[in-house]
Amino acid sequence: MCEGCEKASPLPHDEILRWLRETDEVRLEPLWTRADEVRRQHVGEEVHMRGLLEISNHCMRRCAYCGISSASKGLPRYRMSAEEILQCAREVQRLGYGTTVLQAGEDLVLSRDKVAELLRNIKAETGLAITLSLGERSESELKAWKAAGADRYLLRFETSDPELYGRIHPSLEGTVSDRLALLLGMREMGYEIGSGVMVGIPGQTWEILARDLEAFRALDLDMIGVGPFILSPGTPLDGPLGADLRAKAGSEQVPADELTTLKLIALTRILCPEANIPSTTALATLDKDQGRELGLMRGANVVMPNVTPTKYRTLYAIYPGKACIHETALMCRGCMEGRIHSLGRSLGSGAGGRRQGSSLLLSE
């Protein structure tokens, strides 16, 4: 647990709720200012770019919110070859990113040994930091991947409310899904751990969202990704389940909008000042003109340009209308760099891991 997390929270529960419910832009200005100052003090002006590579859209799960779940019908499935993945990692290095993120559905063809060999090859050729986001995997797999060169693991817990979690993320037969325990176990293995939630998922109330924020701090997460819930047509949340969850939440249902997402980014930065926080693609999907910039202005310090080959990007359809889906990796890099510089921020270099300890201002 970090030193800051052992102290009293900078935001009591009732203040978190007050900020979450606030919609007046004038009254929100102090929140924006505080989050940006905490960001500047603890992680500086650099924005780190992570090269995102979506290596497979196969998934054995039946999550109620996801467009690539095993229940999705008519979606062409793909799985990139080891050479394709390695070629993309070389592209990440050429583009000057310090980290590649290997993301997939929960695809068991991506076995312990296959992924370990891939990680060793990426490390040997590029020296990149490697973040994995491959779903809920066994202790044996996770330990092997850490030994083979993985640095970080991203596993979003989506909601800290057990009842809501069970309804949107059913366990596999004979198992119990416990992502919080998995995250803590990965920390013990030496991973930097990342997680996050969706904003406005059906059934999410303001109270649940406040507890999600407090869970980020209690877990002492190294990376925290929050983005708006974007409905994927044909999923259970597009039918009776979604309607039932929204009805249960009633007037306390959190909206899946840009303003609420920005408030969550700002509050996350204040509660978890050292964490790496991305301005997400989902936020940019809601607001293609300035969504990424607003995220960076409200506390974020990471962006994740996509390096997935364009022929696969449209097939990694976790939600519709994803931003930048037809851009080449080079185009995406140029766009991101321009957006970062427009804010007077600088491009990060190196792996860009979590900075721990005292603030930058105190150490300068």
Side-chain angles (χ1 to χ4, degrees):
M1 195 68 74
C2 68
E3 179 184 351
C5 294
E6 294 172 355
K7 300 175 182 177
S9 172
L11 291 171
H13 187 78
D14 59 348
E15 187 176 354
I16 293 172
L17 279 171
R18 179 174 66 81
W19 282 123
L20 286 174
R21 294 176 186 274
E22 183 60 72
T23 58
D24 185 273
E25 284 285 0
V26 174
R27 290 196 291 269
L28 282 167
E29 280 301 322
L31 178 67
W32 306 146
T33 300
R34 182 177 176 184
D36 198 45
E37 177 57 25
V38 171
R39 184 273 308 160
R40 187 175 72 88
Q41 181 177 350
H42 287 271
V43 298
E45 300 293 347
E46 291 184 336
V47 177
H48 287 276
M49 295 200 283
R50 323 287 204 199
L52 174 63
L53 181 53
E54 297 153 334
I55 64 177
S56 170
N57 72 348
H58 290 263
C59 190
M60 63 189 295
R61 294 276 174 179
R62 300 176 70 89
C63 300
Y65 47 83
C66 185
I68 67 167
S69 84
S70 62
S72 296
K73 305 300 182 185
L75 175 67
R77 301 287 179 169
Y78 75 90
R79 187 180 293 117
M80 291 177 61
S81 69
E83 181 52 40
E84 285 178 309
I85 296 168
L86 189 55
Q87 182 59 37
C88 287
R90 297 183 190 115
E91 180 75 357
V92 170
Q93 184 185 38
R94 282 195 295 270
L95 291 169
Y97 307 151
T99 297
T100 188
V101 181
L102 305 185
Q103 184 176 70
E106 206 159 302
D107 180 2
L108 295 188
V109 172
L110 299 174
S111 66
R112 181 188 66 182
D113 293 343
K114 285 182 180 179
V115 173
E117 181 180 8
L118 179 63
L119 295 173
R120 286 191 289 268
N121 289 337
I122 291 174
K123 278 289 188 183
E125 282 211 32
T126 70
L128 292 167
I130 303 172
T131 299
L132 297 179
S133 182
L134 305 179
E136 300 173 38
R137 307 300 291 247
S138 70
E139 181 178 345
S140 171
E141 290 168 318
L142 294 168
K143 285 183 174 179
W145 298 341
K146 185 71 183 71
D151 300 282
R152 308 172 186 136
Y153 206 100
L154 176 61
L155 184 68
R156 288 159 60 114
F157 62 74
E158 304 301 5
T159 175
S160 58
D161 183 80
E163 182 182 354
L164 179 58
Y165 181 80
R167 298 197 71 183
I168 67 173
H169 187 88
S171 295
L172 297 173
E173 185 176 355
T175 68
V176 175
S177 176
D178 188 346
R179 292 192 167 192
L180 299 180
L182 277 171
L183 286 164
L184 293 174
M186 285 186 278
R187 164 167 287 133
E188 292 298 314
M189 296 175 196
Y191 284 97
E192 282 196 356
I193 57 170
S195 196
V197 301
M198 292 175 285
V199 176
I201 195 162
Q204 182 186 68
T205 64
W206 296 114
E207 177 64 31
I208 289 172
L209 193 56
R211 293 201 302 268
D212 291 341
L213 279 160
E214 291 165 339
F216 295 164
R217 183 175 173 85
L219 289 165
D220 189 22
L221 295 170
D222 303 300
M223 307 170 285
I224 304 169
V226 297
F229 167 70
I230 299 175
L231 182 66
S232 186
T235 58
L237 290 185
D238 187 32
L241 175 61
D244 178 59
L245 290 172
R246 280 188 289 268
K248 184 176 181 181
S251 63
E252 290 293 288
Q253 171 67 51
V254 173
D257 61 12
E258 182 179 41
L259 180 61
T260 309
T261 303
L262 293 172
K263 287 186 288 185
L264 200 67
I265 290 173
L267 291 165
T268 298
R269 173 56 67 199
I270 294 167
L271 287 165
C272 305
E274 297 175 346
N276 281 316
I277 302 174
S279 186
T280 62
T281 302
L283 181 58
T285 299
L286 282 193
D287 182 352
K288 292 181 172 61
D289 293 330
Q290 59 176 353
R292 290 193 197 276
E293 289 91 332
L294 286 171
L296 292 170
M297 292 166 64
R298 305 301 186 238
N301 69 314
V302 169
V303 292
M304 297 175 66
N306 202 324
V307 295
T308 308
T310 52
K311 65 180 179 179
Y312 296 131
R313 286 192 202 178
T314 57
L315 302 179
Y316 200 80
I318 52 177
Y319 55 80
K322 197 160 37 167
C324 308
I325 202 163
H326 297 296
E327 293 184 1
T328 65
L330 184 60
M331 291 167 61
C332 199
R333 196 223 187 267
C335 177
M336 292 284 196
E337 183 175 357
R339 290 174 185 268
I340 291 165
H341 286 156
S342 74
L343 299 175
R345 305 271 286 275
S346 58
L347 297 178
S349 60
R354 173 178 170 176
R355 286 171 167 159
Q356 299 195 51
S358 59
S359 73
L360 293 178
L361 295 184
L362 292 175
S363 62
E364 290 173 352

